[in-house]
Amino acid sequence: MHLNTDFFAFAYLVATILFIFGLKSLSHPKTALRGNRLSMLSMGLAVMVTFFHPSVSNYGLILAGLAIGALIGVPLAVRIKMTAMPQLVAMLHSFVGLAAVLVAAGTYLMHAQQGHLNAVLLLELIIGSAIGAVTFTGSLIAFGKLQALLGSAPLVFKGQHLVNALLILAVFVLSALFAVNHSVVLFATVTALSLLLGFLIVLPIGGSDMPVVVSMLNSYSGWAASATGFTLNNPLLIATGALVGSSGAILSYIMCKAMNRSLLNVILGGFGNTAQAAVAGASAKSCRSASTEDAAFMFENASSLIVIPGYGMAVAQAQHAVKELYEQLQHRGVDVKFAIHPVAGRMPGHMNVLLAESEIPYDSVLELEDINPEFARADAVLIIGANDVVNPAARTNKASPLYGMPILEAYKAKMVYVIKRSMNPGYSGVENDLFYLDNCALIFGDAKKVCEGLVNCLKSA
C-alpha cells in the first residue's frame, strides 16, 4: 500500500493531539484512567501507521522487538506491586536512555558507512547519545537505591560538584568537536563520559530527595526520546519526547520549589549530603507509646482528624484498611481529611495513587498548602508511615539537611499518633523531632494491622 507523506503527517498529528489530551488528563485522579486510555490509543495509532511507512523494509525485526517487549512488559505489569512502582518507573527510564544510545550509535555507523553524515545529523546523534547515557546510568542508580540494592544515604566526596561541572563541560566541548570533525573515538568518549556523569549525578542524592530525582530522570528520558526523533526524522517522537521532557522539567521545578531546593543542585547532583548533622542528640530523649484502644477512643470522640499517609502505608498495603477506618469515623460524624506532601512516598503522586486505589473520595484529599492551615484546629492527626515530611526540624534546626523544606505541620494539632514499626529514622536518615513532643504518641506495629485494630476497636465500642 502506497501512502503519501501528507497521510503520515496527519496521522502523527492526530496521535500527538491524543497524547497531549492524555497527558493533561493524568493531572487529576478523576481523569487519570481516561488519560491512560488516550495515551494508549495514541501509541497504538502511531505504531500501526508506522508499519505502512515507506522507509520500513524489515517487518520481522519490528515484530521481534514488539514480541520481546511484550514478553518483558506484560509479566512486569501483572506482578509488580504498587509499592515497587517508583523503582519500575526508574527502570523504564533506563530502557529509554539505553534505546537512545543504541539508536544514535547504529545511525552513526550506518550513515558513516554510506558517507551521508553532516554537521546537523552529527549534532543530533551526539546529543541523543549523551542524554540517553546520562538517563541510563542515572536511572540504574535510582533503581538500586529505591530497590534497597544500594544504601539510601548520599554518597559524597570532596569536590564532587566541581567534578560534575567539569564532566558536563567536557561533554559539551567534545560534542562540538564531534559535530565538525566526527570520529568513532569522540563518539565513544562523549558516551562514556555521559555514562559516568549519570552515576555521579544520582549517587549523592539522599533518600528523601528521590522523588525529585525520579521526576528529573523522567524529563531526561523525554529529551532523549525527542533527540532520537530528530535522528530518525520522526515528528511524532520529537513532539511526544518534548512534551514528556518539558512536563518532567516543570514538575521537577515545582518539587524543588516545594522542598526549598535548588534546581541547579539537582542537575549537578548532591543536594542531600549533610544527613549526619541532625541525627546526633536525639537518642537520649524519650517518647510516648500508645495502644490502638487509646487512639481509637481519641478518634471516636474527635470532631476532626487529619490522616497523613507515607511510604509505610504503601509497604504494608494498608490503604484498604485506611479506607475502612475512614468510613467508620465518617459514620460517627468525624470530619476526616487526608494530607498529601508533594514528595510523600518514593515518586510524585505515589500516595494519591494508593488512596485512589482504595476509592477514598478525592474531595477528602488535600495538598500541603491547603491542609496546613487546618492542623492547628484539628483534634487529632494520624501519621501512617510518613517521617521526613512531618519533621519539625525542617523549621527549627538549621543543621538539619531537611531545613527549609516545607512540611505538613502535624505538630500543631492537639494530639498526634504515629504508626511506626520501630524508632529507626526515615529514609533520609534524619531523626524526627516530632516523636518527642508532648502531644505525640507512637503506635508501634505494621500499618495495616494497626489500622485494622483501630477499625475493630471502633466497631466494638
Side-chain angles (χ1 to χ4, degrees):
M1 182 186 299
H2 178 71
L3 299 170
N4 60 37
T5 55
D6 291 341
F7 169 80
F8 291 102
F10 178 74
Y12 286 156
L13 178 63
V14 172
T16 303
I17 292 172
L18 287 172
F19 184 76
I20 290 172
F21 278 105
L23 203 59
K24 184 178 185 303
S25 300
L26 290 174
S27 63
H28 195 279
K30 283 184 178 178
T31 55
L33 184 59
R34 184 179 67 197
N36 271 323
R37 287 170 175 164
L38 287 173
S39 300
M40 289 166 63
L41 182 61
S42 167
M43 182 62 73
L45 175 64
V47 171
M48 186 178 67
V49 168
T50 303
F51 263 94
F52 298 100
H53 199 281
S55 64
V56 176
S57 58
N58 192 332
Y59 291 95
L61 284 176
I62 296 177
L63 293 173
L66 290 173
I68 293 171
L71 284 174
I72 297 172
V74 171
L76 271 178
V78 171
R79 296 179 182 177
I80 195 73
K81 295 179 180 178
M82 291 300 293
T83 52
M85 284 303 292
Q87 43 265 56
L88 175 65
V89 171
M91 181 57 77
L92 294 177
H93 288 160
S94 74
F95 291 161
V96 177
L98 181 61
V101 173
L102 294 177
V103 168
T107 305
Y108 170 66
L109 294 175
M110 182 178 71
H111 283 255
Q113 191 176 31
Q114 297 171 348
H116 293 162
L117 291 172
N118 57 62
V120 174
L121 178 60
L122 289 171
L123 200 57
E124 293 170 1
L125 291 172
I126 205 64
I127 290 174
S129 181
I131 300 176
V134 170
T135 307
F136 175 58
T137 51
S139 299
L140 287 181
I141 295 298
F143 172 81
K145 284 182 174 254
L146 291 165
Q147 189 66 22
L149 299 175
L150 301 172
S152 64
L155 182 60
V156 296
F157 58 85
K158 191 176 180 180
Q160 195 162 36
H161 282 183
L162 178 62
V163 171
N164 288 352
L166 290 175
L167 276 173
I168 292 173
L169 181 63
V171 168
F172 272 105
V173 172
L174 293 177
S175 296
L177 288 175
F178 177 77
V180 295
N181 185 21
H182 68 88
S183 74
V184 174
V185 174
L186 279 174
F187 183 89
T189 304
V190 170
T191 304
L193 290 178
S194 301
L195 289 169
L196 177 61
L197 188 60
F199 277 118
L200 294 179
I201 283 178
V202 180
L203 272 177
I205 306 299
S208 62
D209 298 319
M210 196 51 67
V212 184
V213 175
V214 174
S215 174
M216 182 59 75
L217 290 170
N218 180 51
S219 176
Y220 289 168
S221 69
W223 295 123
S226 188
T228 304
F230 279 104
T231 300
L232 299 176
N233 196 25
N234 186 312
L236 179 62
L237 200 52
I238 295 171
T240 53
L243 285 168
V244 173
S246 55
S247 60
I250 293 170
L251 180 60
S252 301
Y253 171 76
I254 293 172
M255 295 181 75
C256 284
K257 194 175 178 182
M259 296 173 67
N260 196 27
R261 304 297 195 193
S262 162
L263 186 61
L264 182 62
N265 265 350
V266 178
I267 295 172
L268 292 179
F271 53 83
N273 52 10
T274 56
Q276 300 303 318
V279 176
S283 57
K285 301 177 184 176
S286 61
C287 63
R288 186 152 59 104
S289 62
S291 65
T292 53
E293 290 80 5
D294 296 334
F297 179 79
M298 178 70 187
F299 296 160
E300 187 180 19
N301 290 283
S303 298
S304 59
L305 170 71
I306 298 176
V307 179
I308 301 177
Y311 189 64
M313 186 186 80
V315 171
Q317 287 288 284
Q319 60 269 30
H320 298 290
V322 171
K323 169 67 181 311
E324 198 172 357
L325 176 64
Y326 166 80
E327 290 176 337
Q328 286 292 327
L329 291 171
Q330 283 270 300
H331 181 66
R332 287 164 171 77
V334 182
D335 179 25
V336 183
K337 293 177 180 174
F338 292 83
I340 305 293
H341 192 280
V343 295
R346 294 292 181 268
M347 64 181 289
H350 196 185
M351 293 301 108
N352 301 74
V353 171
L354 293 176
L355 295 181
E357 182 192 0
S358 62
E359 298 183 345
I360 286 174
Y362 305 126
D363 296 340
S364 302
V365 181
L366 301 177
E367 302 295 332
L368 180 142
E369 59 273 15
D370 297 322
I371 196 70
N372 262 349
E374 298 195 28
F375 279 108
R377 299 190 294 270
D379 290 326
V381 168
L382 176 63
I383 300 173
I384 309 174
N387 206 322
D388 300 321
V389 298
V390 294
N391 193 339
R395 294 287 178 84
T396 59
N397 187 356
K398 292 185 178 179
S400 171
L402 299 177
Y403 184 73
M405 170 181 156
I407 57 167
L408 292 167
E409 298 170 347
Y411 64 92
K412 291 183 176 178
K414 294 174 185 173
M415 190 65 205
V416 180
Y417 290 94
V418 184
I419 301 176
K420 274 187 70 68
R421 288 177 180 272
S422 70
M423 286 300 292
N424 289 334
Y427 199 60
S428 67
V430 178
E431 194 77 44
N432 195 334
D433 293 350
L434 173 68
F435 302 159
Y436 308 100
L437 298 180
D438 293 337
N439 64 336
C440 182
L442 280 71
I443 307 173
F444 290 103
D446 175 81
K448 183 178 180 181
K449 291 180 180 176
V450 171
C451 289
E452 289 173 344
L454 289 169
V455 171
N456 292 333
C457 289
L458 290 171
K459 286 181 176 177
S460 60

